[in-house]
Each structure stands twice: as C-alpha cells, then as structure tokens.
Amino acid sequence: MVRQRWLGYAPAAEADVAAVEQRLGLRLPPSYRSFLLTTDGWRHAGEFVRKMRDTTNLGWLRDLEPSWESWADLITEPPVDAPGNPFSRGLLISLHADVGVLFLDPADRDENGEWAAYSVFSWGEFPQRYPSFTALMESEYQSFHQIRQPAGKTRDSWDLVAEQARGEALSGDIDTAMVALEKAQHFGQPLATVLQTQLQMFLATSSPYEASRILSRLLPLAPVPDGFFAGPLFTEEFLPCMFLQHAHKEPWYGSALEHAQYLADRAHAGHRVALERAQKHADDQDSQYSALEIAQILEITQNDPGLEIGRAIDEHRARVQEPGYQLTYGNQAFDTAVRNALAQHHSDPAALWQALETAMTHWQPRTPDHIAPVALLADPVLAYSLTPERGRALLSQPRSGR
C-alpha cells in the first residue's frame, strides 16, 4: 500500500458488478457503481471503518447484520418519500467497522438515482443519513482529517482557508467567514474552532445555556492550536465568560466551566498516577513497566491540555479574589471606551451597544487569532443585553488586525 500509494484494490469488472446487481435484483446507484468499477473494496474508509465490502460479499443488512434493525427507532428525521425501516432493506457496504455499519437505502432515492446512505455506530448518538454514497465517503474523509490532522496538501489548503476567513471576519464580512470556518472545522483545522467560536458568541442568544454550549466547543476533543489554553485569548477572553455563564446556569445542564474543571481534574489525576508509577519503577527493579513505557506515560500526561486548563482556572480564581480586581475588556484605549459606554448608557441597552460599535475603532487583538472582543460577554450587563442583531452589527465593524 505504501509503495503503490493506494488503499484500494483492483477495479471490479463490469461483469462482476452486473452479477451482483442480478443477485440483488437492483441496479446499484451511480456513485457506488462507479466506486466498485474503480476499486473492488477499500481498506480504510474512515477512522472507524477498517474495510469495505466488495462484489464477492455485498449483501442485505437484514441477512448479514440483523441485530441492527431495531436502530431504526433512533432515526431523528425519517425520509418522507421512503417510509418504513431503512435497516430492514439496507444494502450493507461495510465489512469491518468499530461496532457500526455503513449501508445504502434502495428505497430512498434522489432524481439522479442515488440511494441515501447511513452511518451508525453503537457508541454514536443517532444514525446519520447522507444523500448519497459519495456524501457518506466525503464525511468519513473529513472525519479522518479532523481526528488525525495528517500533514499534507489537504491540511495546508484548509490552513489557508482559515487564514483567509480570519481576514474576512476582521473586515466585517462575517457570513463569508462563518461558511469557510465551518468547512475548515470539519477537516480538523485547529484555528477554525477558535475563530468560529468567537463569532458564534456574538451571533447566539444571550442565554447562559447557549453561551456555555458554544464555549464547550473549545474544550478537548476539539482541535485547537498548541498552547491555546495558556494564552491570553483563552485566559483573558473565553475563561471569564465561562465563569459568568457558570454563575448563572440552571441545575439541569453542565456548564462549560464544569466541563473544563472535569478535564483539569482528570489530567491532574492522570499525571499524579504517572508520577507514582515512575517513582515505583525507580525504586523497584522488578517493575511491571519498562523505562520506555514509563517515559511514554509521563509524556502523555504532561502534554494533556487539561493541565493547562487547570492552571488557567486556578490563576483566574486567584486573580478575581485580589482586592480591587476589575474585568479587563482589552487594550487600554478600548477598555476605557467600553467603561465610558457602560457609565453613560448602563440602563439603555440600545444606546449601549451603539456606543460599543463606535468603540470598536479602538479595539486591538490580544493575539493573531483574536478577531472579536469576547471579553465584553464576561460582563453581565453586556452579556445579557446582547441580541443576535446587536452582535452582528458589532462584528460588521472593520477591525484592527487585518
């Protein structure tokens, strides 16, 4: 495979595909038919699909994996034009998967003759429907890049997309930026998550639940740039927002701060166990671990981002308790303009947000990845007078850093 740079196999002959279609009693959809005529099977269809079926072992899901039929109850949006159980009539196309299946639904077709495709895993939330085999495989390809983030042309191209979106956001073209960042995030581009979250904070409703939900996207396993949790964009902008939303949360959901604290506690516990094992190894010549295993365990726990998150939380708590602590909205000129706006328009939200739009001429990013004044939303007066319309008006102001 390495020599040939090819994860597939030799193409199926037209006669092989025709024989399968005769056996099944149906003509295969165009994209899947083309796939088999290109490669009769595939070795790695995604991070959790180790092998795809070929013309020798294609068959109906109900015959090969009947235990999955009951999962139809979990389909959130059953196709209107194809009633019934897709699992009972599905064509199984995956051979080895991580407690899951990929299949095509012959009753759910579009105008081009493509069959809807499903991906379902026992550890996932719900069966995922795709309009075609091509769309399913593109999703698996994106998922692979999102999890592995392999170096190469694909990653380089999405790095460029994220950088262009950063400039568009700072120029006030937030719709174009959001579309590009959504696509880049699907491919695991680390910067895209950070940039998109900043914009989403201003375009959502002002509820603590919604803000916590958005802020939680920054936390592992989301891909973020190395060192992000130790940098000022997290410690001075996002983290104060987490503390505010936690203070106003309802008991029926977990806040982003609770999630962050859990990750920090887990990382500290893991690091402590690793240190204990290392000490035991040093004291015991008959240790069950080798020196290499101990080094690997220590490296993994030392690089756990939860440690950085924990330090940031502890430092923020200590800072807040210091006499005379005040939230900082950003650079000095912007901070002064925001405080003046709050003093003059504290009881008039419309006038307050108009004044903030004017204040944006003074705003400076803390880091190159900083594209929106998120620290504003750590102030309860500003956070709970925010509307999507006010947020959009503020983000539409061209900003420094372009």
Side-chain angles (χ1 to χ4, degrees):
M1 286 185 288
V2 173
R3 237 184 356 257
Q4 296 177 353
R5 299 183 63 80
W6 180 238
L7 288 172
Y9 298 89
E14 179 68 40
D16 296 328
V17 177
V20 168
E21 292 174 329
Q22 184 175 12
R23 174 166 60 85
L24 298 174
L26 290 169
R27 182 176 175 83
L28 295 172
S31 63
Y32 187 58
R33 202 174 197 280
S34 176
F35 170 77
L36 293 174
L37 292 171
T38 302
T39 172
D40 197 7
W42 192 254
R43 289 186 175 91
H44 192 99
E47 194 64 9
F48 307 107
V49 183
R50 296 184 295 278
K51 197 170 185 181
M52 299 285 283
R53 290 179 178 269
D54 56 45
T55 52
T56 68
N57 52 28
L58 273 179
W60 301 112
L61 180 62
R62 62 177 177 265
D63 298 327
L64 300 170
E65 297 276 357
S67 60
W68 288 98
E69 288 193 54
S70 61
W71 282 70
D73 296 337
L74 298 178
I75 296 176
T76 54
E77 296 183 8
V80 177
D81 297 331
N85 187 342
F87 288 79
S88 298
R89 62 188 181 228
L91 179 66
L92 183 62
I93 59 175
S94 60
L95 182 62
H96 299 304
D98 185 7
V99 199
V101 289
L102 306 182
F103 70 91
L104 306 178
D105 181 2
D108 188 0
R109 307 187 187 195
D110 66 12
E111 63 278 7
N112 298 315
E114 294 290 353
W115 301 0
Y118 282 86
S119 166
V120 54
F121 293 90
S122 63
W123 39 264
E125 292 184 5
F126 302 101
Q128 298 294 312
R129 179 189 176 278
Y130 301 88
S132 67
F133 171 75
T134 296
L136 167 65
M137 294 298 282
E138 287 175 345
S139 176
E140 292 294 329
Y141 179 67
Q142 290 174 1
S143 176
F144 166 77
H145 276 275
Q146 188 177 68
I147 295 171
R148 294 290 187 100
Q149 299 176 39
K153 292 182 180 179
T154 299
R155 190 173 76 178
D156 293 345
S157 68
W158 288 109
D159 288 348
L160 179 61
V161 167
E163 180 57 31
Q164 290 173 337
R166 186 187 76 87
E168 289 161 349
L170 288 170
S171 297
D173 188 359
I174 54 175
D175 291 325
T176 301
M178 285 289 282
V179 170
L181 291 172
E182 182 73 21
K183 293 178 181 178
Q185 192 175 27
H186 286 323
F187 277 86
Q189 206 289 330
L191 180 58
T193 302
V194 174
L195 298 178
Q196 187 185 52
T197 302
Q198 293 174 68
L199 302 181
Q200 287 174 330
M201 289 289 290
F202 285 90
L203 300 176
T205 64
S206 59
S207 75
Y209 167 74
E210 184 66 12
S212 268
R213 188 180 68 83
I214 293 171
L215 287 166
S216 291
R217 295 173 183 167
L218 292 169
L219 301 172
L221 301 167
V224 296
D226 292 340
F228 167 72
F229 296 110
L233 180 52
F234 180 73
T235 60
E236 305 296 331
E237 299 277 330
F238 287 119
L239 190 56
C241 292
M242 289 185 180
F243 271 83
L244 174 67
Q245 304 311 331
H246 177 74
H248 292 82
K249 74 175 288 291
E250 297 290 340
W252 54 269
Y253 69 89
S255 69
L257 182 61
E258 287 174 325
H259 185 192
Q261 187 65 63
Y262 165 76
L263 294 171
D265 293 343
R266 187 181 66 178
H268 281 290
H271 188 52
R272 185 170 60 252
V273 169
L275 291 173
E276 291 171 355
R277 287 178 178 174
Q279 185 61 51
K280 185 176 180 180
H281 174 80
D283 297 339
D284 182 5
Q285 293 183 348
D286 297 325
S287 170
Q288 60 178 316
Y289 299 101
S290 68
L292 177 59
E293 288 173 329
I294 290 296
Q296 290 173 335
I297 292 171
L298 284 172
E299 183 180 9
I300 291 171
T301 58
Q302 287 168 350
N303 292 330
D304 190 322
L307 295 180
E308 287 185 343
I309 293 172
R311 283 193 291 270
I313 291 174
D314 292 342
E315 290 170 3
H316 184 79
R317 284 199 175 107
R319 191 161 56 244
V320 169
Q321 292 172 1
E322 292 176 358
Y325 167 81
Q326 277 189 318
L327 174 68
T328 301
Y329 299 105
N331 55 289
Q332 186 172 355
F334 180 66
D335 189 74
T336 300
V338 172
R339 294 187 190 283
N340 290 340
L342 281 166
Q344 296 173 20
H345 307 293
H346 187 276
S347 57
D348 187 348
L352 174 58
W353 279 90
Q354 287 179 354
L356 292 177
E357 290 178 39
T358 302
M360 287 301 293
T361 57
H362 302 288
W363 181 80
Q364 295 285 336
R366 297 181 192 264
T367 71
D369 302 344
H370 192 190
I371 59 172
V374 177
L376 294 177
L377 306 183
D379 183 299
V381 173
L382 299 177
Y384 300 127
S385 63
L386 173 69
T387 64
E389 293 75 23
R390 289 168 181 163
R392 177 173 287 276
L394 184 138
L395 293 178
S396 296
Q397 303 299 311
R399 303 183 288 289
S400 175
R402 300 189 297 281

